């Protein structure tokens, strides 16, 4: 096998991830989630997430090493999510990564969580073409990026002006009485619903920008459901879920295709938790095919947060022999998407 063996550590939200990658080969992907501990609050509780990361950190790394059949002594570099994310949660991963790097005497790469969501696709579909347009849709971010080099240059073309796409899923799920996180249950409920049943608004659809807005859509769904309930009528959960999901997928794919056209790029990669959505994947497939754009979307398990994505980006940096981050690397909860690695 070619290239350095990279351990990736992810703790930006509620998943403790440890992954091992060499080149573009995924050797291990151990993820421990604290999502069950947050479910009754309807959202991630930062303090609870931090404590869960502390408990899961070293067992997750040990599990990844065992999966790959290697030991810590075989690891050539450590990569860790330095931001963006929850400050306390990030700190656990960053502290652990520093400890591993220091004791092993290996380079440390503090990387951007968002670039890692893009880089992970290389584990499944090989090297990313340059440039590529990336649609990044997660619980905290919705962005369109021009990526000349995932390990070096990421340019922001547009982003949400209010809620992230995943946040809208989570809030709409709550309105519909579905569990947290809302993406998977809405995806499931929508399968038996009519996506054309309710014409929900599509924010910023015609404004010509590459920005998104999902707050109006979320409010429109809540109003529609409240009015229905006030009249004593049952809420058609499947139809509401399908119509909401259609509005989200429609705007995201329309703007992603527009970004490709505007920048003359014929490859689109989609990453982040919402990229696991079945309707988004299908509609993106249709619209990219019609526009002559090659679409790359990692399998759903690699779209949601994991350590393999951090290792994938770390592998890109380490393979090129790029300098690492200092051992006093800070966790930066609002690390800008353009900063791929913290130096
Ligand atoms: O990337 P991710 O795991 O964490 C962040 O970096 O935020 O994304 C989590 C988000 C949540 O809002 C969750 O509801 C959404 O991804 N999500 C989905 C699906 N699976 C997860 N949204 C729509 N459809 C899905 N199948
Ligand atoms: Zn994420």
């Amino acid at each position: 096998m070619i290239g350095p063996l990279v351990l990736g550590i992810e703790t930006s939200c509620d998943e403790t991830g440890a992954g091992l990658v060499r080149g573009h080969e995924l050797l291990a992907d151990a993820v421990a989630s604290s999502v069950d501990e947050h479910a009754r609050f309807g959202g991630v509780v930062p303090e609870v997430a931090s404590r869960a990361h502390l408990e899961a950190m070293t067992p997750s790394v040990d599990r990844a090493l065992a999966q790959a059949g290697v030991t810590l002594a075989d690891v050539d570099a450590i990569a860790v999510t330095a931001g963006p994310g929850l400050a306390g949660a990030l700190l656990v991963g960053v502290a652990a990564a520093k400890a591993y790097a220091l004791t092993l005497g290996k380079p440390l790469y503090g990387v951007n969580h968002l670039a890692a969501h893009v880089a992970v696709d290389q584990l499944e579909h090989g090297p990313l073409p340059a440039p590529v347009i990336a649609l990044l849709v997660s619980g905290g971010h919705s962005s369109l990026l021009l990526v000349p080099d995932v390990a070096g240059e990421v340019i922001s073309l547009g982003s949400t002006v209010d809620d992230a796409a995943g946040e809208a899923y989570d809030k709409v799920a709550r309105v519909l009485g579905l569990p947290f996180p809302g993406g998977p249950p809405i995806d499931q409920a929508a399968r038996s619903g009519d996506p054309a049943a309710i014409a929900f608004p599509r924010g910023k659809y015609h404004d010509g920008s590459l920005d998104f807005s999902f707050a109006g859509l979320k409010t429109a769904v809540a109003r529609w459901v409240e009015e229905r309930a006030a009249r004593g009528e049952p809420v058609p959960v499947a139809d509401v879920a399908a119509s909401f999901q259609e509005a989200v997928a429609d705007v995201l794919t329309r703007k992603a295709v527009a970004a490709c056209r505007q920048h003359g790029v014929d490859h689109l990669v989609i990453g982040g938790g919402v990229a696991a959505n079945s309707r988004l994947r299908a509609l993106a497939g249709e619209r990219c095919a019609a526009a002559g754009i090659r679409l790359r979307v990692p399998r759903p398990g690699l779209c949601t947060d994991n350590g393999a994505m951090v290792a994938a980006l770390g592998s890109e940096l380490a393979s090129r022999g790029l300098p690492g981050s200092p051992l006093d690397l800070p966790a930066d909860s609002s690390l800008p998407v353009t900063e791929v690695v913290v130096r």
Side-chain angles (χ1 to χ4, degrees), residues 94-149:
V94 168
K98 286 177 183 175
Y100 284 118
L102 187 65
T103 48
L104 298 172
K106 299 292 156 118
L108 169 72
Y109 294 96
V111 303
N112 192 304
H113 180 82
L114 307 175
H117 267 307
V118 178
V120 71
D121 187 63
Q122 303 199 126
L123 301 181
E124 206 167 350
H125 300 118
L128 279 167
V132 65
I133 294 285
L135 170 65
L136 192 101
V137 273
S138 70
H141 293 83
S142 304
S143 298
L144 272 165
L145 310 168
L146 173 64
V147 185
D149 175 10

Side-chain angles (χ1 to χ4, degrees), residues 203-215:
K204 302 186 79 61
Y205 201 76
H206 295 291
D207 73 347
S209 81
L210 295 175
D211 289 329
F212 302 105
S213 168
F214 295 107

Side-chain angles (χ1 to χ4, degrees), residues 25-342:
E25 192 184 353
L26 173 60
L27 301 174
D29 182 17
V31 179
S33 178
S34 61
V35 68
D36 293 345
E37 296 175 51
H38 308 289
R40 69 193 170 103
F41 301 107
V44 175
V45 183
E47 289 306 321
V48 173
S50 304
R51 182 154 295 270
H53 285 310
L54 268 178
E55 287 167 8
M57 190 70 264
T58 43
S60 298
V61 171
D62 291 345
R63 215 149 41 87
L65 293 168
Q67 261 180 34
V70 299
T71 69
L72 271 179
D74 298 316
V75 171
D76 298 307
I78 319 286
V80 62
T81 298
L86 302 171
L90 288 167
L91 272 174
V92 178
V94 168
K98 286 177 183 175
Y100 284 118
L102 187 65
T103 48
L104 298 172
K106 299 292 156 118
L108 169 72
Y109 294 96
V111 303
N112 192 304
H113 180 82
L114 307 175
H117 267 307
V118 178
V120 71
D121 187 63
Q122 303 199 126
L123 301 181
E124 206 167 350
H125 300 118
L128 279 167
V132 65
I133 294 285
L135 170 65
L136 192 101
V137 273
S138 70
H141 293 83
S142 304
S143 298
L144 272 165
L145 310 168
L146 173 64
V147 185
D149 175 10
V150 72
E153 192 182 11
V154 173
I155 299 160
S156 176
L157 302 177
S159 61
T160 183
V161 297
D162 41 51
D163 292 5
E167 200 178 341
Y169 267 94
D170 296 339
K171 288 177 178 168
V172 164
R174 196 201 288 228
V175 165
L176 291 176
L178 297 171
F180 173 84
I186 288 185
D187 200 344
Q188 185 61 37
R191 280 167 210 259
S192 52
D194 175 5
I198 309 150
F200 285 130
R202 281 136 166 86
K204 302 186 79 61
Y205 201 76
H206 295 291
D207 73 347
S209 81
L210 295 175
D211 289 329
F212 302 105
S213 168
F214 295 107
L217 168 62
K218 169 198 72 187
T219 307
V221 174
R223 291 241 170 80
W224 195 94
V225 170
E226 277 162 20
E227 281 168 19
R228 190 87 184 196
R231 290 199 300 271
E233 295 168 18
V235 174
V237 171
D239 283 349
V240 174
S243 301
F244 159 76
Q245 178 162 280
E246 195 63 22
V248 175
D250 183 12
V251 181
L252 290 176
T253 53
R254 177 187 162 96
K255 298 230 173 189
V257 168
C260 290
R261 287 222 174 97
Q262 282 174 28
H263 291 270
V265 174
D266 58 3
H267 281 84
L268 172 69
V269 57
I270 310 185
V274 182
N277 185 257
S278 61
R279 182 57 186 148
L280 175 61
R281 297 169 80 94
L283 191 57
E286 285 168 28
R287 290 190 171 168
C288 283
I293 296 165
R294 296 276 297 275
L295 175 66
R296 299 167 54 127
V297 197
R299 63 174 182 269
L302 290 179
C303 291
T304 46
D305 290 350
N306 61 77
M309 64 192 231
V310 181
L313 182 51
S315 168
E316 199 60 45
L317 295 158
S319 309
R320 299 188 203 176
L322 292 172
S325 307
L327 274 176
D328 62 355
L329 165 77
D332 184 349
S333 60
S334 52
L335 187 67
V337 66
T338 48
E339 202 171 331
V340 175
V341 55
V342 180

